[in-house]
Amino acid sequence: MSKPLIVITGASSGIGAATAQVFAAAGHPLLLLARRLEPMLELQLPNALCCAVDIRDAEAMNRALEAAGAQYGPVDCLVNNAGVMLNAPFIEGDPQQWSEMIDINLKGALNGMRIVARDMANRQSGSIINIGSIAGRKTFDNHAVYCGTKFALHAITETVRQELAGSKVRLITIAPGMVETELVNHTTHEASREGWRSYAGQIGGALSAQSIAQAILWSYQMPQSVCVREMVICPTGQEP
Ligand code: NDP
């Protein structure tokens, strides 16, 4: 393969699936990770290894990356995209759901970063693109723990960026606003879920996952000497 390997987590739907499509169209071999295998296979992308992996399982993730590396060479870019948003007013929150958000959005992303960062630093090349959120920059009612995971992810990404700048490794935060995906469907608190949908309707709709995927690809395709540190991308009509 003339183009290097890209790893995308959460590639079974939404932003991750759209990102897989744009990187495949750009000619990259891919490793796609998510818990559901079928939707990744249904994308029918060329040179794409699809693995059913829960990113909370660092060992399983490591095995999948090693197998992909053996086939396609070193990972040039990891897109840490997998995430969940389980909103509710704090006093009605379910600690089980809090743990899920912390373990997937934060520790899952750390698992991926840990696997690739040392090798990228040794090679003096590579990019880690973490999908944060507008909720990693400002707070929203009913989003306390989700905001916490995204604020933390932004802080970790920026800190690691500083640490790896001398090794020529890029750390990029992409922070979307409202995007039309499956994300909000998993919120079990009905008023939070319906509030999201109703506001998206009021502003003429959320962004498409393709718009975010294009921004991810653009930030990656800038020369390795250019680091797009952070991009915040929202529907024009989104007020907060
Ligand atoms: P989706 O729900 O459509 O996609 C989430 C993806 O994450 C799925 O592919 C899901 O796959 C995967 N995933 C969830 N948990 C795990 C896990 N434990 N292990 C592996 N994969 C997992 O939502 P989006 O595309 O919207 O979300 C992608 C990212 O974008 C998230 O980090 C989200 O926080 C962020 N974001 C989204 C916004 C929006 O408005 N949609 C706004 C700002 C940020 P599976 O269930 O098969 O494991």
Side-chain angles (χ1 to χ4, degrees):
M1 297 296 304
S2 58
K3 299 256 177 111
L5 174 64
I6 311 291
V7 179
I8 302 167
T9 70
S12 61
S13 70
I15 295 168
T19 303
Q21 286 168 318
V22 297
F23 274 95
H28 288 275
L30 302 174
L31 171 63
L32 306 182
L33 304 175
R35 291 166 299 183
R36 289 168 298 163
L37 185 60
E38 271 308 308
M40 295 189 288
L41 295 173
E42 281 165 11
L43 293 172
Q44 296 195 315
L45 298 175
N47 302 307
L49 296 174
C50 303
C51 264
V53 164
D54 187 321
I55 59 161
R56 289 170 287 192
D57 183 347
E59 279 308 309
M61 206 173 170
N62 195 32
R63 279 195 300 275
L65 266 81
E66 274 183 3
Q71 188 160 341
Y72 292 120
V75 178
D76 193 46
C77 177
L78 166 66
V79 184
N80 265 319
N81 162 78
V84 289
M85 180 177 78
L86 307 166
N87 293 333
F90 182 75
I91 56 174
E92 293 177 39
D94 173 356
Q96 186 69 38
Q97 295 195 342
W98 297 347
S99 295
E100 217 178 307
M101 285 188 277
I102 292 164
D103 289 347
I104 297 172
N105 301 0
L106 201 49
K107 293 189 193 167
L110 281 170
N111 286 340
M113 291 170 76
R114 183 163 179 274
I115 293 167
V116 301
R118 184 184 295 275
D119 187 47
M120 287 181 177
N122 288 340
R123 285 187 287 116
Q124 301 265 298
S125 187
S127 306
I128 298 173
I129 303 181
N130 288 340
I131 309 305
S133 174
I134 186 78
R137 296 174 56 86
K138 45 167 65 178
T139 56
F140 294 82
D141 287 356
N142 300 354
H143 286 61
V145 177
Y146 181 74
C147 281
T149 63
K150 294 298 186 179
F151 268 76
L153 185 61
H154 283 218
I156 289 166
T157 310
E158 173 58 13
T159 310
V160 178
R161 187 199 61 69
Q162 286 175 205
E163 289 184 19
L164 295 187
S167 303
K168 312 278 190 288
V169 177
R170 301 185 300 184
L171 272 286
I172 297 171
T173 302
I174 303 286
M178 301 177 87
V179 186
E180 188 55 54
T181 67
E182 292 178 14
L183 190 75
V184 75
N185 301 351
H186 303 294
T187 288
T188 51
H189 185 261
E190 195 180 339
S192 298
R193 197 176 60 243
E194 292 315 312
W196 192 101
R197 291 234 161 273
S198 146
Y199 185 66
Q202 273 173 46
I203 63 169
L207 294 176
S208 75
Q210 285 71 26
S211 297
I212 304 301
Q214 283 163 10
I216 294 169
L217 180 66
W218 176 81
S219 67
Y220 170 75
Q221 285 181 331
M222 293 300 280
Q224 185 70 26
S225 57
V226 177
C227 181
V228 179
R229 293 187 184 182
E230 185 171 339
M231 251 177 155
V232 186
I233 311 158
C234 298
T236 304
Q238 181 174 340
E239 229 172 71

